[in-house]
Amino acid sequence: MMPRLLESPACGTFRARVLALVRRIPSGFVATYGDIAALAGRPRACRAVGAIMSTCRLPTLPCHRVVGAGGQLGGYSDPSRKRRLLQEEGILIRCHRIIHFSEVRWTAQALD
DNA sequence: ATTTTGACCGTGC
DNA sequence: CGCACGGCCAAAA
């Protein structure tokens, strides 16, 4: 079978595509809920992405790298933990906001 | 099947 | 800057 883009809108459910995308965010980078939604083929489904993040408890999913628009921290089951995890990856945060957001914002370039 | 609920986002004040 | 409001869409109830 020919290979497919996991993030292609035609491949799997929205949920599956979202999870696949979030797993691709490299350490030291972040993506917004809206970014993930758009890459998953639903530019306006940012809120749905948040809903998915809130329910899935997969340990292999670096959901702390999904942040709010403009570099806001966004939600998390344990906000202080989210901040710490990001800082441990070299991301600077001040007052619930990522510094140099544009430089650490992940763009899914080089799709297979 | 229908309603409610969010780890959201832009706008407007 | 902060806050309220409406739109949005998948998941859960």
Side-chain angles (χ1 to χ4, degrees):
Chain A
M1 59 179 272
M2 67 181 287
R4 279 166 200 267
L5 304 180
L6 286 179
E7 56 283 344
S8 163
C11 181
T13 63
F14 177 70
R15 180 189 181 83
R17 299 197 301 275
V18 165
L19 298 182
L21 281 162
V22 172
R23 271 190 279 263
R24 292 182 48 187
I25 306 174
S27 174
F29 290 84
V30 299
T32 70
Y33 295 91
D35 288 342
I36 298 300
L39 290 169
R42 301 244 188 329
R44 293 175 248 179
C46 54
R47 197 166 186 176
V49 170
I52 291 170
M53 294 296 101
S54 69
T55 56
C56 80
R57 289 144 186 141
L58 304 171
T60 63
L61 193 76
C63 55
H64 61 281
R65 297 182 188 140
V66 183
V67 302
Q72 293 287 326
L73 271 201
Y76 203 77
S77 57
D78 180 352
S80 61
R81 174 179 157 82
K82 183 172 189 175
R83 191 171 65 242
R84 180 173 57 75
L85 288 172
L86 289 172
Q87 289 176 330
E88 285 175 356
E89 296 183 357
I91 292 175
L92 306 176
I93 298 169
R94 193 203 329 169
C95 294
H96 289 217
R97 182 163 216 151
I98 295 175
I99 313 289
H100 305 275
F101 169 57
S102 59
E103 296 168 33
V104 297
R105 185 179 191 175
W106 177 62
T107 45
Q109 48 212 336
L111 307 181
D112 318 38

